[in-house]
């Protein structure tokens, strides 16, 4: 009985979909020959596809509902049995070898693959750092920033201008780019200190767009839509490098950057500053009432997030050797934000994985290129439904203190 | 009130308007060292609004809020930001519990130490000697406070997973972590069962006696209020209608009317 009603509702869904997509998928008007083509086969495919999808969907929803009620019943049990993913993250016996493997692969990569691959990975790593930087602002401090790309652009243009006009070296510009990003972050942060949630999102979205418009229209400084070309690649103690060597070099530089970012974020996460950020995210009023200076804490989060964007902006400009305003589109902010959300707000490992997956999958699945945005949207919806906390849920550090240690020693 | 006790908080003619609504109407109130003072009144009397004005969450329309920190000069704190008020030594809890839900119980208390520590971003990244020492102290002190309110066994639990009564006690521990000389508690017993209320009663008295913290308390539970407070202020519709010792308040006709008019004492 249940089975029949199950199939019936799937069938209804299928018919509904056929109806909805009928004008699009079945009818095709040929304006040249003034004829109408009826593509009945398409209708069949839509019906079958919708039927199967709806069946899977219902099954998944049911499973989730069952899972939730089960979890309530045996919440104490599930505490003791963490999932494989969590075990991988927490048990040193498991994650040390894995980490070693990842590091070894990352180091060997440029020697075993073509330059094209290395370039792809350089960009993927740039996204990783962007994700980790935005993770500070959005994931830790809870400040929804939709204009993150603006800071990336600031870094890139800082280097492009300083390098092409004033001949400054990459290594000098790298910190300058980061600091300029941070400075702009603070400047933009001031007026929006009082905003929260949706309002903040909209204003930062505006900032991102304004930045792009400024790059496009301020010919004198940013060279307008033509962009800036012939930006120098990073040098290494005056060594002459061809493109392929320079790319490999940038690849290693990005690896160092990723490690550096992870190191810094990790230290901040469990510090006085990081805790204040999280408290701000959790409850702003309670946070200030407990003595946290809101303005300072928020600006710190903005500045630090923007710092990473500025830093990798410099590297981005040096890798492409040519930048124009189109590189700093809203899409980039959106993708970086999705990486943070998909990875799990505040989780470093989650963001790294999400950044790599989101960037490398489209590269290696060229066949699906046209459907990229479609798949993207579907993945987002599915994630929000089935794993709203992201790939890796945020695990909080547990602290030990002298008395606890003594007690454990006495017990053991 | 003994003559030689020192005033800690002195509120003069405090008024707070929300558009046309006068939520707090010229309230004058004092708290001295070593006192437990209660602020009571029917729902909507303006008690929470009064707290919000004192702790800087609202900027009062009129009136003066003076703070006399022990062995320091007097400050007028009208319009101070909440974090400055807290840094001065006034800490509060919230009527509708406002814990940091997705942080552990210990971390919640550690946030309270924020204004007494100084590590900045660079310090947190480098983790120098000073940072490590402060971090250790923060942890030790926070554990101590959890012990005092009886929550050590929950230390690594997320705050949102605590039972209701424990959440209220955690709010008290978090407020105490800011090293206050005056603790403002907004309905700490709300939603607690009689046993929990009794424990809370003892906890509040213990805090006053052993920690040297004075207490200003909003509470609907009359038994608790009458038990522990030295003086009681009664508010109705924003105005102060009575002030005195528990005995005086119990027999005050205005107070009885205010509570009966509301449909009886729901304590
Ligand atoms: N932010 C605000 N804006 C407008 N009106 C407010 C605001 N906060 C409180 N009020 C109003 O002020 C009055 C006093 O509210 P308040 O919360 O201070 O009462 P209370 O004495 O704490 O009551 P309870 O015992 O229910 O907690 C109420 O009429 C309330 O509606
Ligand atoms: Mg109230």
């Amino acid at each position: 009985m249940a089975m029949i009603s199950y199939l019936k509702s799937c069938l209804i869904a299928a018919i509904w979909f056929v109806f909805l997509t009928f004008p699009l998928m079945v009818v095709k008007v040929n304006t040249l020959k003034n004829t109408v083509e009826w593509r009945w086969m398409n209708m069949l495919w839509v019906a079958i596809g919708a039927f199967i999808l709806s069946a899977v969907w219902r099954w998944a929803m049911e499973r989730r509902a069952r899972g939730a009620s089960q979890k309530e019943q045996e919440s104490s049990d599930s505490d003791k049995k963490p999932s494989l993913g969590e075990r991988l993250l927490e048990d040193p016996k498991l994650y040390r070898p894995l980490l070693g493997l990842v590091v070894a692969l990352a180091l060997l990569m440029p020697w075993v693959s073509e330059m094209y691959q290395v370039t792809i990975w350089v960009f993927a790593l740039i996204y990783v750092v962007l994700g980790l930087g935005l993770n500070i602002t959005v994931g830790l401090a809870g400040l929804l920033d939709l204009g993150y790309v603006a800071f990336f652009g600031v870094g890139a243009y800082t280097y492009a201008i300083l390098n092409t006009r004033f001949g400054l070296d990459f290594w000098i510009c790298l910190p300058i780019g980061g600091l300029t990003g941070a400075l702009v972050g603070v400047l933009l942060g001031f007026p929006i200190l009082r905003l929260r949630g949706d309002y903040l999102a909209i204003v930062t979205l505006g900032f991102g767009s304004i930045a792009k418009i400024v790059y496009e229209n301020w010919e004198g400084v940013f060279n307008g839509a033509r962009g800036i070309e012939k930006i120098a690649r990073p040098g290494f103690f005056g060594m002459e490098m061809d493109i392929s060597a320079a790319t490999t070099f940038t690849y290693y530089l990005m690896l160092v950057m990723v490690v550096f970012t992870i190191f810094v974020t990790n230290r901040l996460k469990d510090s006085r500053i990081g805790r204040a950020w999280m408290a701000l995210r959790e409850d702003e009023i309670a946070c200030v009432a407990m003595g946290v200076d809101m303005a300072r804490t928020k600006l710190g989060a903005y500045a630090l997030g923007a710092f990473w964007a500025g830093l990798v902006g410099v590297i981005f400009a040096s890798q492409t050797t040519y930048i124009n305003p189109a590189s700093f589109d809203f899409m980039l902010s959106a993708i970086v934000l999705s990486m943070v959300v998909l990875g799990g707000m505040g989780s470093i490992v989650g963001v790294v994985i999400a950044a790599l997956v989101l960037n490398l999958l489209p590269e290696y699945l060229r066949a699906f290129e046209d459907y990229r945005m479609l798949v993207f949207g579907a993945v987002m919806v599915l994630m929000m439904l089935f794993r709203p906390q992201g790939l890796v849920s945020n695990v909080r550090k547990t602290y030990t203190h002298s008395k606890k240690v003594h007690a454990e020693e006495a017990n053991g | 009130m003994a003559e030689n006790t020192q005033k800690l908080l002195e509120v003069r003619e405090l008024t707070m308007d929300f558009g046309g609504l006068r939520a707090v109407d010229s309230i004058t109130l004092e708290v001295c060292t070593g006192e437990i003072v209660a602020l009571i009144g029917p729902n909507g009397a303006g008690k929470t609004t009064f707290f919000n004005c004192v702790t800087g969450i609202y900027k009062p329309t009129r009136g003066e809020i003076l703070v006399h920190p022990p062995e320091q000069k007097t400050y007028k704190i009208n319009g101070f930001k909440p974090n400055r008020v807290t840094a001065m030594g006034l800490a509060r809890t919230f009527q509708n519990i406002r814990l940091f839900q997705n942080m552990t119980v210990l971390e919640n208390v550690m946030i309270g130490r924020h204004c007494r520590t100084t590590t900045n971003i660079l310090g947190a990244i480098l983790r120098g000697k000073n940072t490590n020492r402060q971090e250790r102290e923060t942890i030790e002190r926070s554990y101590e406070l959890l012990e005092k309110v009886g929550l050590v066994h929950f230390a690594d639990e997320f705050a949102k997973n605590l039972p209701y009564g424990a959440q209220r006690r955690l709010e008290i521990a978090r407020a105490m972590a800011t090293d206050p000389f005056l603790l403002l508690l907004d309905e700490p017993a709300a939603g607690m069962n009689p046993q929990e209320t009794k424990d809370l009663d003892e906890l509040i008295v213990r805090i006053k006696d052993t920690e040297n913290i004075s207490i200003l308390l909003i509470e609907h539970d009359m038994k608790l209020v009458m038990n522990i407070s030295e003086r009681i202020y009664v508010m109705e519709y924003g105005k102060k209608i009575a002030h005195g010792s528990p005995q005086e308040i119990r027999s005050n006709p205005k107070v009885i009317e205010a509570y009966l008019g509301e449909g009886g004492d729901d304590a």
Side-chain angles (χ1 to χ4, degrees), chain B residues 88-176:
Chain B
M88 194 142 277
L90 268 58
R92 68 171 294 174
T93 66
F94 293 90
Q95 177 175 0
N96 46 341
I97 302 174
R98 304 192 82 128
L99 289 169
F100 308 121
Q101 304 278 346
N102 292 309
M103 296 171 74
T104 65
V105 167
L106 185 72
E107 282 176 319
N108 267 271
V109 183
M110 287 167 86
I111 288 289
R113 298 300 300 158
H114 186 93
C115 58
R116 304 293 174 217
T117 42
T118 53
T119 306
N120 56 15
I121 291 186
L122 205 61
I125 296 171
L126 299 177
R127 270 197 200 160
K129 230 187 199 161
N130 219 1
T131 308
N132 281 335
R133 186 180 46 76
Q134 279 186 5
E135 192 74 3
R136 273 256 67 76
E137 277 171 10
T138 301
I139 295 169
E140 297 289 323
R141 179 100 171 85
S142 305
Y143 259 105
E144 243 170 60
L145 284 166
L146 283 183
E147 263 170 5
K148 277 179 187 147
V149 299
L151 290 175
V152 176
H153 53 296
F154 283 129
D156 298 329
E157 198 70 54
F158 277 124
K160 63 180 172 197
N161 296 338
L162 289 196
Y164 200 74
Q167 294 200 4
R168 290 237 174 256
R169 273 181 291 150
L170 176 55
E171 273 220 334
I172 295 179
R174 186 180 66 174
M176 281 166 70

Side-chain angles (χ1 to χ4, degrees), chain B residues 43-44 46-49 95 186-187 218 220:
Chain B
N43 291 112
K47 306 178 297 288
T48 300
T49 307
Q95 177 175 0
D186 196 344
E187 303 202 16
I218 296 178
H220 280 298

Side-chain angles (χ1 to χ4, degrees), chain B residues 13 31 41 43 66 77 85 118 150 155 161 194 198 206 235:
Chain B
E13 311 262 303
V31 183
N43 291 112
L66 301 174
I77 60 166
V85 177
T118 53
N161 296 338
K198 203 167 145 279
R206 202 164 56 230
M235 280 176 80

Side-chain angles (χ1 to χ4, degrees), chain A residues 117 120-121 359-367:
Chain A
Q117 301 288 330
I120 290 175
W121 274 86
N359 276 287
L360 296 175
L361 265 195
E363 296 296 340
Y364 291 120
L365 295 178
R366 279 278 167 209

Side-chain angles (χ1 to χ4, degrees), chain A residues 130-141 148 265 269 340 344-348 351:
Chain A
L130 283 177
L132 287 169
L134 188 64
N135 185 38
I136 294 175
T137 320
V138 179
L140 291 180
Y148 193 58
T265 318
K269 224 169 87 144
V340 176
M345 300 270 248
S347 157
I348 295 175
V351 172

Side-chain angles (χ1 to χ4, degrees), chain B residues 157-248:
Chain B
E157 198 70 54
F158 277 124
K160 63 180 172 197
N161 296 338
L162 289 196
Y164 200 74
Q167 294 200 4
R168 290 237 174 256
R169 273 181 291 150
L170 176 55
E171 273 220 334
I172 295 179
R174 186 180 66 174
M176 281 166 70
T178 63
D179 285 344
F181 57 80
L182 177 64
L183 202 52
L184 298 100
L185 305 176
D186 196 344
E187 303 202 16
M192 283 189 170
N193 63 34
Q195 181 55 44
E196 285 174 324
T197 310
K198 203 167 145 279
D199 293 344
L200 180 75
D201 177 326
E202 282 162 19
L203 176 66
I204 294 176
V205 174
R206 202 164 56 230
I207 290 172
K208 186 201 75 170
D209 289 339
T210 61
E211 310 284 313
N212 244 333
I213 300 176
S214 307
I215 283 154
L216 177 60
L217 168 84
I218 296 178
E219 192 43 75
H220 280 298
D221 189 317
M222 281 310 144
K223 197 160 150 259
L224 179 82
V225 170
M226 295 296 168
N227 258 349
I228 64 175
S229 38
E230 271 121 81
R231 288 184 299 120
I232 299 175
Y233 289 85
V234 189
M235 280 176 80
E236 191 189 17
Y237 297 120
K239 292 199 180 63
K240 180 162 86 181
I241 57 168
H243 168 212
S245 67
Q247 289 77 16
E248 287 165 348

